[in-house]
Amino acid sequence: MSERPRLAVIGAGPAGLAAALAAAERGVRVTLIDSAAAAGGQFYRQPATELRARRPQALHHQWRTWERLRDGLNDHVTAGAVRHLTDHHVWFVERLPDGFTVHALLGPEQDDPATVRADAVLLATGGYEHVLPFPGWTLPGVLTAGGAQAMLKGTLTLPSRTAVVAGTGPLLLPVATGLAAAGAELAALVESAEPRAFVRQSRALAAQPGKLGEGAAYAGRLLRHRVRTLFRHTVVEAHGTERVESVTVAALDADGRARPGTGRRITCDTLAVSHGMLPHTDLAESLGCRLDGLDVHVDDEQRTDVPGVWAAGETTGIGGSALALAEGHIAGSSAAARLRGTEPDPGEWATVAKSRTREREFAAALDRVYRPPAHWSERVTDDTVVCRCEEVTAGTVREAVDELGAGDLRTVKLLTRAGMGWCQGRMCGPAVAGLTGCQLVPSRRPFARPVPLGVLAQEPDQPTERGSS
């Protein structure tokens, strides 16, 4: 009997888990590679085992879906159909004549190389938060909304006692309700979107009554916790010396500018802020996959335009866990069929495909509702640090354009070092684009993350035992 085809799934969030299970059920040998210590991604992040959480489901919704994914993964791992590699930080996927080699760094220190061989690759690398700078955003106590949620889910700890949750996007609701339920005092939920934006998208939103009910449930919890909600407001500045002590918020006018005279100061020791999500596309870019704007382009089977590479979840467009699960199932099913040398039967995933269409339409409607204020950059003072890794200020970035003639992000980066630090522009890239008026374009960086020269020097000729497949 010939050896079963091998599929490397990178990312163990909702999309990666759904893809791994679908492919394994169809006779493919799957290696599930993830940088976290346990499966689930940010959405299904679990408390550390040592904490012995009695009711981890209290921090989650869709808990039964998670249990189904978790149990399915465990069953396939026990049966030998799936190999789950944790603490593997993938930095490069190499295309070879006979398949792919996935290169990763092991462990928290990311200094021990490993490789995985596969016949095909499925990218389920998720997304990351879009955060825009403002005066005071580098103060201790200012963190992303997802960071606050990760602390609560993963360590069962609160970032502080009194918090403000601000920005825009559907993530703000579960973060605010989660913090309030855990005992934090929520001084305010500050949302830059306006209620009328929801009315304008009512037809698309009404097509998903379950999600509307979920949003209403969050709103009810905020009311029970007496959380003040400020729509069409934004954070103007965070104040403090050793850490954040208060924030100033202001109302927005119809053009997205802070209205003079509407500023109010709110006392808090934590500010959790987010302006939506952006897709992780580094690996797709290095493989040469086509992008539609900032999203990886895929066909109806979730195939990219690079043969042997599939993509699913937030990397193909931000849309939430339900969309990621649908895309992951279709991608895993398609990859399994193609690797076995057969044509996929779309009838296998017809119901899932309909769900994918509905979820994409709903996500597009939310994207039209939750847009960062159009003129946010006007509130960023010249002495505000924009690139935290290299400590580059907004004034330096503006000078690169106004006085040195930079006309694109790459030139701004070369002149200012903005984006040359550890995050490689993932955090500051959108902010630099907004401040300069340059188009935010894919970077086409060769590696998905910084790699020590020592690791490159000791890259093995053959797959290492610990990370091989």
Side-chain angles (χ1 to χ4, degrees), residues 49 53 59 95 188 194 203 313 352 402:
T49 305
L59 300 174
R95 293 176 65 188
E194 59 176 335
R203 177 175 297 181
V352 179
D402 299 337

Side-chain angles (χ1 to χ4, degrees), residues 7 24 45-46 52 55 72 118 143 147 156 165 198 231 255 272 274 308 314 342 388 417 444 449 462:
L7 174 67
R45 183 185 292 270
Q46 304 297 307
R52 299 179 181 177
R55 296 180 61 250
L143 70 168
L156 305 181
V165 177
F198 292 90
F231 285 102
D255 294 325
S274 176
E314 310 286 46
T342 62
R388 302 178 73 159
R417 295 192 60 82
R444 296 291 182 186
R449 62 179 62 240
Q462 301 295 327

Side-chain angles (χ1 to χ4, degrees), residues 3 24 72 78 82 84 122 155 168 196 201 250 283 286 311 410 415 448 453 468:
E3 185 176 288
T78 300
V82 175
H84 182 201
L122 197 155
T155 67
T168 190
R196 285 180 296 180
Q201 302 299 323
L283 292 175
S286 65
R410 183 175 184 275
L415 291 173
L453 289 176
S468 63

Side-chain angles (χ1 to χ4, degrees), residues 101-416:
T101 298
V102 179
H103 297 262
L105 302 174
L106 300 181
E109 299 300 323
Q110 302 182 37
D111 56 2
D112 187 11
T115 56
V116 174
R117 292 296 306 274
D119 300 305
V121 171
L122 197 155
L123 304 175
T125 48
Y128 60 98
E129 278 187 273
H130 181 194
V131 180
L132 299 174
F134 49 86
W137 79 301
T138 58
L139 282 169
V142 179
L143 70 168
T144 66
Q149 187 182 59
M151 286 182 64
L152 190 58
K153 286 184 175 181
T155 67
L156 305 181
T157 58
L158 291 169
S160 68
R161 300 307 304 174
T162 305
V164 170
V165 177
T168 190
L171 177 62
L172 300 188
L173 284 173
V175 171
T177 55
L179 291 173
E185 178 186 348
L186 259 293
L189 171 61
V190 182
E191 168 61 68
S192 64
E194 59 176 335
R196 285 180 296 180
F198 292 90
V199 176
R200 289 193 290 268
Q201 302 299 323
S202 58
R203 177 175 297 181
L205 297 177
Q208 293 278 27
K211 291 185 179 293
L212 292 182
E214 186 178 300
Y218 283 131
R221 292 174 202 166
L222 291 176
L223 285 174
R224 287 197 297 274
H225 289 285
R226 299 182 179 179
V227 176
R228 175 174 43 170
T229 301
L230 302 174
F231 285 102
R232 201 59 181 162
H233 278 67
T234 190
V235 170
V236 175
E237 184 175 0
H239 311 277
T241 51
E242 297 298 320
R243 63 172 294 120
V244 63
E245 299 168 0
S246 63
V247 298
T248 294
V249 303
L252 294 168
D253 64 18
D255 294 325
R257 290 186 170 91
R259 289 167 49 194
T262 63
R264 65 178 78 180
R265 198 151 170 162
I266 301 174
T267 300
C268 64
D269 53 16
T270 288
L271 171 61
V273 63
S274 176
H275 295 92
M277 301 284 293
L278 295 171
H280 261 307
T281 60
D282 296 345
L283 292 175
E285 291 171 31
S286 65
L287 280 164
C289 298
R290 171 186 161 191
L291 300 187
D292 290 336
L294 299 178
D295 306 330
V296 177
H297 172 82
V298 292
D299 64 10
D300 289 342
E301 295 181 30
Q302 299 294 138
R303 293 180 296 178
T304 73
D305 62 337
V306 175
V309 179
W310 281 255
E314 310 286 46
T315 191
T316 68
I318 304 301
S321 63
L323 177 57
L325 289 169
E327 291 187 352
H329 178 86
I330 293 171
S333 302
S334 168
R338 298 287 179 182
L339 285 171
R340 296 196 316 268
T342 62
E343 286 288 325
D345 177 10
E348 285 189 356
W349 62 68
T351 301
V352 179
K354 291 180 181 178
S355 174
R356 178 180 62 180
T357 299
R358 291 194 301 269
E359 294 295 340
R360 285 178 175 173
E361 292 172 350
F362 187 81
L366 287 184
D367 187 58
R368 291 188 288 269
V369 169
Y370 293 115
R371 291 190 177 276
H375 299 280
W376 62 267
S377 61
E378 297 176 2
R379 300 190 297 275
V380 181
T381 58
D382 282 346
D383 59 351
T384 301
V385 172
V386 175
C387 173
R388 302 178 73 159
C389 297
E390 296 293 322
E391 299 183 348
V392 181
T393 64
T396 301
V397 170
R398 288 169 173 144
E399 181 183 354
V401 175
D402 299 337
E403 299 185 21
L404 302 180
D408 57 76
L409 288 185
R410 183 175 184 275
T411 304
V412 173
K413 180 178 180 178
L414 292 173
L415 291 173
T416 67

Side-chain angles (χ1 to χ4, degrees), residues 91-92 282-283 286 424 426 445-451 456:
W91 56 272
F92 185 58
D282 296 345
L283 292 175
S286 65
Q424 289 292 285
R426 292 172 185 83
R445 58 176 65 91
F447 299 152
R449 62 179 62 240
V451 184
L456 293 177

